[in-house]
Every structure is written in structure tokens, then in C-alpha cells.
Amino acid sequence: LFFATHIEEFERATPTLITAPLCTLPSVNTTTMKISALAVILACALPEAYSKKVVRIPLNKRTDEEMVANLNSAQKLEKSLRGSTHTRNLKEENEVIKDYANAQYFGSVSIGSPPQSFMVIFDTGSSNLWVPKKGCTHCGNPFFGQKSKYDHDKSGSYTADGKDFEIMYGSGSVSGFFSKDSVILADDLEVTGQSFAEVQDAGGLGLAYALGKFDGILGLGFTSISVGGVPTVFENAIEQSIVDEPVFSFYLGDNGPGELTFGGYDDSKFEGDLTYTKLLQATYWEIALDGVSAGDYKAPDNADGSPITAIVDSGTSLITGPKKEIAKLAKAVGAKSSFTGQYTIDCATLDSMPDIVFTIDGTEYTIPGAKAVIQASGTCLFAFMGADFPPPGPQWILGDVFMRQYYTVFNYNEKTIGFAKAVSTEA
């Protein structure tokens, strides 16, 4: 599903930039500082022996029609999102907030020597890397949803671990065991000795996995929510000094190609300056919202005076919020509830649909009304969904619908997220 990959190397006495073109599955419709990848090359005069890298990874995009069909047949969102993670060899429990049924973007990663390639969801809403192992059960079948499977016997850099790994989802568990091996990003950036999970049974993800175009998950959250407390791939990349900056960035093409950049960001993909906001806590990428509004709707403040919470989640395609608030928001924009539990809107009214505004640290981030709709098979789906998560879960999830409009930079060390208006890919 990828186009041919081309890699450009700028070999200078400065950091090296590795690039790869972006590819996309056919699509029917579907707070201030700047550190560009180019600026890193031109300005950071490091010795060749200490060369670091900025790498870009292609992101595939599932078609809107396929995603909408999957959403309409899926279980209720909160049953898939809310789960707990367990490691039987460790005295700890964490919680995961995730629904891979509506994940839309995927990219490639390799594990082992020689490298074995996998399509993964690069997910800021979780923190572990896992892929199916050879002999995995409920991991696709020969007729549809085939999965690439890791075979540690074929890797010269594999190291056994053996500790149990398990994540509990609404419909069951995803389980296996930990191993260590090299992880390669964009064919060039190699993270050595990375702990990851070989999954033996992926039944807990149900049809979302069986029918999905991804093999595994590469979590980009913080180690604090990692199953087993194992360091994340990106944390190890920082510790091993193989990325130029402790940041990664998402550009999600609007009906076009997207890219994920490790070690920097690309200022050609956004307009103006990045505006950064501090995280509430380093678990998920969780921030405070000043407010949410559209038409005559305005989200109320929390009664206890606490901040309205939101996580910025690359692994969720829609935007979610409290059920009561989403119902009011949908009414304000003219959307109506359907028998599937989703909200739809008359496609003929998109031009007059109110914009939806998220206010973060005093800055307004606008989602144009028409961009808050996913069109497929003659249906206009309002890309907001109601979901109630008990504390410490977030009140809102800003998924790909938000991130398509705003280039998003995640700064691991400073614990901030930066936003800037993304350059449109539409003709």
C-alpha cells in the first residue's frame, strides 16, 4: 500500500535529515516557537561523529467510507475505549483509553536484524510497542486482515525477556510477553535494545483488529503509563542520542498524504508560528481547555473549578466529549442522532454549518463546520462522538479531526504540545 520509498540524505558536517515520501490509501472524501527540520540542518553545527537525525515516516490513511462503515458496525465507543492494563509479574495497574476501531492513520516500522516490517498505529494515547508474534491467535486469517508476524528466531539482535504482557480492552485481552530487539524508524533511525511485546492473542481488539490494516501499536505516550514501566521507543531514541531534538510532530493530510517526524518538525507544513501549551500531567498528552463553542453552544466550566481536560490523541480519528455536551453541540450545528448512535447532518447544509472552536491557553483553534464532517456513501457523519470517562480519564479527546487542521508538535522533555495551522493538501 505504500508507493516506492525514496530517501534523501544531506551529508554535511551537521545533523543528517532522512526523508521518505508520504503515501495514502485511496480516499473518497473524508504554544510560540519554531524548530524546523531544515533549520536543524543549517544551524546545528555538530561534528560528523556526533551526527543526530530527523526522520520522517509515511502515514497511510484508511478511506473515509471504510472507517464510517466500521464505526456504524462497532460496539459503543466507551466499551472499546475504557480498559485496564496488567502485567502479572509486576505489582502495578494502568489504564488505557483507546478505540482502534476508528483509527485511520498507519505507518511502517521495522524490528530485528535483518529487519521485519510491520504496519503500526503511531498512538499518542498509549505507551507500548506491540506486534503479533509468529503463531499468534486471533491475528487475522489467510482470507482477510492478514498480519505480519514477528519471528524472534530470525533476528540476530533479539534478546529474551519473558515477562508477561496484557492489556484488557472492553471485549477482552491482548496478551503476550516482553522481548528486546532493535527498532528501526524510516529505514535509518535505529533504537537498540527496545523492550516491546510479542502478542500471542489479540482477541481483545475484536473486529477492529481482525479487519484493520495495522499489525500492531507503537505508543508515543509517556513511560508513566507504559505496561511494565518499560521505556517508550521515543524515550529510548532520546536517551541513545539518535534524534536531534526531543520532539515528534504529526502532519495529517486532509484528503492527502501525511507524515510523522521524529527529532524535529517541518515548517513547510504549517502557517505562522507554533503556539505551545503545557501538559497537565505527563501520562497521556493531556492539556486543559479554556472552552468549546459552536453557534449558540458553549461548554460549561467544571463545577469544582478544575480545568476541562483533553488528550491529544493520534490514534483516535474522531473528537469525543461528554455525552450530554456532544448532544448539545450536535444540536447547535444541526446534526441529528442516528440509530447507530452516531450523529449525521444534511450534506446540503455543510456550507452554513457553524464552526467549532476550541480555546486553549487563550488561543482559539477553529474547526470549520465542513471539516467537522466525514462524508462517505452519501452520508455526512458529524465527526464528534459522546463518551463519558470516569476520572482520571479525560473529558475530551482531540483526535485526527482536530490534528488534520493543526500541525501538532509533541515536546517530550518540556512536556508541551505545539499547534499551528496546517497547510492544506486539497486542490
Side-chain angles (χ1 to χ4, degrees):
L1 298 173
F2 282 96
F3 294 114
T5 300
H6 305 284
I7 297 177
E8 267 185 275
E9 291 195 14
F10 298 89
E11 294 183 347
R12 305 179 182 180
T14 52
T16 303
L17 172 67
I18 308 297
T19 64
L22 301 178
C23 340
T24 179
L25 296 176
S27 179
V28 179
N29 291 306
T30 47
T31 351
T32 302
M33 65 190 300
K34 187 179 291 187
I35 311 171
S36 70
L38 180 59
V40 167
I41 293 176
L42 297 177
C44 300
L46 297 177
E48 288 187 19
Y50 191 62
S51 176
K52 301 179 185 179
K53 295 181 174 67
V54 177
V55 300
R56 297 172 183 164
I57 294 178
L59 295 178
N60 287 338
K61 181 174 182 288
R62 186 169 56 162
T63 67
D64 289 347
E65 285 194 342
E66 182 183 356
M67 192 193 77
V68 170
N70 200 29
L71 279 172
N72 286 339
S73 62
Q75 295 178 331
K76 290 183 179 180
L77 179 65
E78 64 270 26
K79 291 183 179 179
S80 298
L81 283 170
R82 191 77 180 173
S84 63
T85 63
H86 304 271
T87 50
R88 289 189 287 271
N89 288 1
L90 296 172
K91 296 180 180 179
E92 63 176 50
E93 293 186 2
N94 298 308
E95 292 184 307
V96 63
I97 297 171
K98 185 51 48 200
D99 175 24
Y100 296 117
N102 68 14
Q104 198 167 16
Y105 292 88
F106 315 98
S108 182
V109 66
S110 296
I111 303 174
S113 305
Q116 302 172 44
S117 183
F118 303 91
M119 193 71 75
V120 298
I121 298 172
F122 290 97
D123 176 27
T124 60
S126 66
S127 297
N128 290 88
L129 168 61
W130 67 257
V131 294
K133 69 177 292 291
K134 181 181 179 182
C136 174
T137 58
H138 303 110
C139 293
N141 62 65
F143 305 103
F144 61 88
Q146 292 186 10
K147 307 298 179 186
S148 296
K149 298 179 176 67
Y150 173 75
D151 185 349
H152 60 232
D153 291 332
K154 293 184 178 180
S155 175
S157 49
Y158 160 77
T159 302
D161 183 318
K163 292 186 179 69
D164 291 332
F165 170 88
E166 184 175 11
I167 299 180
M168 296 298 298
Y169 292 95
S171 55
S173 68
V174 172
S175 60
F177 55 87
F178 283 103
S179 295
K180 290 185 178 182
D181 210 333
S182 295
V183 174
I184 303 96
L185 305 170
D187 297 328
D188 187 80
L189 190 157
E190 182 176 358
V191 180
T192 60
Q194 176 64 45
S195 292
F196 71 102
E198 297 188 45
V199 165
Q200 301 178 105
D201 188 342
L205 284 178
L207 287 177
Y209 185 63
L211 301 178
K213 291 182 169 63
F214 64 99
D215 302 310
I217 311 296
L218 195 153
L220 292 169
F222 291 87
T223 297
S224 60
I225 60 168
S226 170
V227 176
V230 300
T232 66
V233 172
F234 190 64
E235 181 178 322
N236 275 335
I238 296 170
E239 291 296 320
Q240 294 175 22
S241 298
I242 57 176
V243 288
D244 190 77
E245 297 288 341
V247 302
F248 59 89
S249 314
F250 278 90
Y251 174 74
L252 302 183
D254 194 355
N255 293 326
E259 76 177 15
L260 167 59
T261 302
F262 286 108
Y265 53 78
D266 185 350
D267 61 4
S268 71
K269 295 294 193 297
F270 60 86
E271 303 170 359
D273 294 324
L274 286 158
T275 300
Y276 272 75
T277 187
K278 285 282 188 180
L279 299 183
L280 290 176
Q281 55 185 340
T283 52
Y284 305 103
W285 292 88
E286 184 175 25
I287 59 175
L289 298 179
D290 298 338
V292 184
S293 61
D296 60 3
Y297 169 79
K298 184 179 184 300
D301 295 332
N302 289 334
D304 62 1
S306 62
I308 301 172
T309 59
I311 64 173
V312 184
D313 185 5
S314 61
T316 296
S317 285
L318 306 183
I319 294 175
T320 79
K323 288 182 178 179
K324 289 183 179 179
E325 299 310 313
I326 293 296
K328 295 174 185 176
L329 175 60
K331 183 178 180 180
V333 301
K336 297 180 179 180
S337 179
S338 69
F339 70 93
T340 63
Q342 314 296 326
Y343 290 91
T344 59
I345 192 165
D346 184 348
C347 295
T349 67
L350 297 188
D351 289 343
S352 60
M353 183 175 170
D355 295 340
I356 299 159
V357 180
F358 292 87
T359 306
I360 303 170
D361 267 359
T363 299
E364 293 186 347
Y365 298 90
T366 299
I367 310 296
K371 298 297 184 182
V373 171
I374 298 175
Q375 299 186 56
S377 301
T379 298
C380 285
L381 176 73
F382 184 46
F384 283 66
M385 183 180 288
D388 294 327
F389 306 114
Q395 292 169 274
W396 294 79
I397 298 177
L398 305 184
D400 298 340
V401 171
F402 181 89
M403 292 175 67
R404 272 196 290 272
Q405 300 304 308
Y406 294 95
Y407 190 92
T408 309
V409 179
F410 299 81
N411 190 308
Y412 194 93
N413 282 0
E414 295 187 3
K415 297 176 176 56
T416 57
I417 305 178
F419 303 106
K421 181 63 179 175
V423 173
S424 175
T425 59
E426 292 190 309

